[in-house]
Amino acid sequence: MIRLKRHVMIVFCLFGVVLLTACAGYGPNNNMIGSSREHIIQQLGKPTTELQTAEGPVLIYSKGPRGKETFFIYLDSNGVMHRWVQVLDEKHFERILPGMTRDQVIEIIGESKDRFGLARGRGYVWNYRYINPFCFWFQIEFAADDTVRSTGYGKPPECRVRILF
């Protein structure tokens, strides 16, 4: 009986290690600061997007279209990570203003993978799911010339109430 309990305990411990290892590859962490670009890609996979900004190179890991996080990993001129941030939050959304270009939006919160076009070629809308207690998503309406027309919050389809009769 003691032997069986011991085996069960070992199996649970191994299962826990596997789960922790799987979670470790999901996004960046502070232990990765100082890592090279190559090491980051080895750990997290190929980035969704790579940008060259005034601050330096940025690796973007978007967990969309259903994911609720987008990680920006900032590299210095030598390709070494010096910081990272999860950008899908109200603080970053507030920086999106009418008149901004599509590229300016991407530099702040990344590119949405959940989008739809507007009728009569009036433009398109990008949707961003993010972690919040209200089941909202952030939406950006772009005009046909790829500039921001408006922003706001709405309910994604999975949160709409359905009445069944």
Side-chain angles (χ1 to χ4, degrees):
M1 186 65 147
I2 292 174
R3 193 178 205 117
L4 180 61
K5 286 182 183 180
R6 197 164 160 207
H7 287 299
V8 169
M9 186 63 112
I10 290 171
V11 168
F12 277 118
C13 287
L14 289 174
F15 183 69
V17 168
V18 168
L19 283 178
L20 287 174
T21 304
C23 292
Y26 178 76
N29 60 58
N30 288 339
N31 292 334
M32 297 174 76
I33 293 175
S35 297
S36 69
R37 178 185 181 282
E38 293 75 25
H39 180 75
I40 293 164
I41 291 173
Q42 180 183 7
Q43 294 294 308
L44 301 178
K46 183 180 177 200
T48 310
T49 309
E50 293 188 51
L51 294 178
Q52 185 60 45
T53 67
E55 188 178 337
V58 180
L59 304 179
I60 300 177
Y61 287 88
S62 174
K63 302 302 179 180
R66 296 280 182 205
K68 296 182 178 184
E69 296 173 309
T70 295
F71 301 103
F72 278 34
I73 297 176
Y74 294 89
L75 307 176
D76 63 19
S77 58
N78 297 319
V80 175
M81 177 180 171
H82 62 88
R83 72 184 180 97
W84 67 274
V85 65
Q86 196 290 108
V87 298
L88 297 185
D89 59 26
E90 282 91 1
K91 181 178 80 172
H92 287 87
F93 298 154
E94 289 171 2
R95 294 176 49 198
I96 310 298
L97 303 171
M100 291 179 112
T101 66
R102 179 180 180 269
D103 290 339
Q104 289 173 313
V105 169
I106 292 170
E107 285 187 20
I108 297 171
I109 59 174
E111 186 171 358
S112 173
K113 303 296 183 220
D114 190 321
R115 50 180 100 177
F116 61 88
L118 299 172
R120 294 172 282 184
R122 293 183 303 129
Y124 53 95
V125 174
W126 282 4
N127 304 302
Y128 294 86
R129 286 173 172 79
Y130 70 105
I131 298 169
N132 69 84
F134 306 109
C135 199
F136 286 148
W137 62 4
F138 180 68
Q139 297 179 293
I140 303 172
E141 179 186 2
F142 288 92
D145 66 355
D146 288 337
T147 59
V148 174
R149 182 180 295 135
S150 64
T151 66
Y153 296 88
K155 290 273 188 190
E158 65 270 15
C159 297
R160 293 190 184 126
V161 176
R162 294 184 183 139
I163 300 173
L164 301 174
F165 291 98

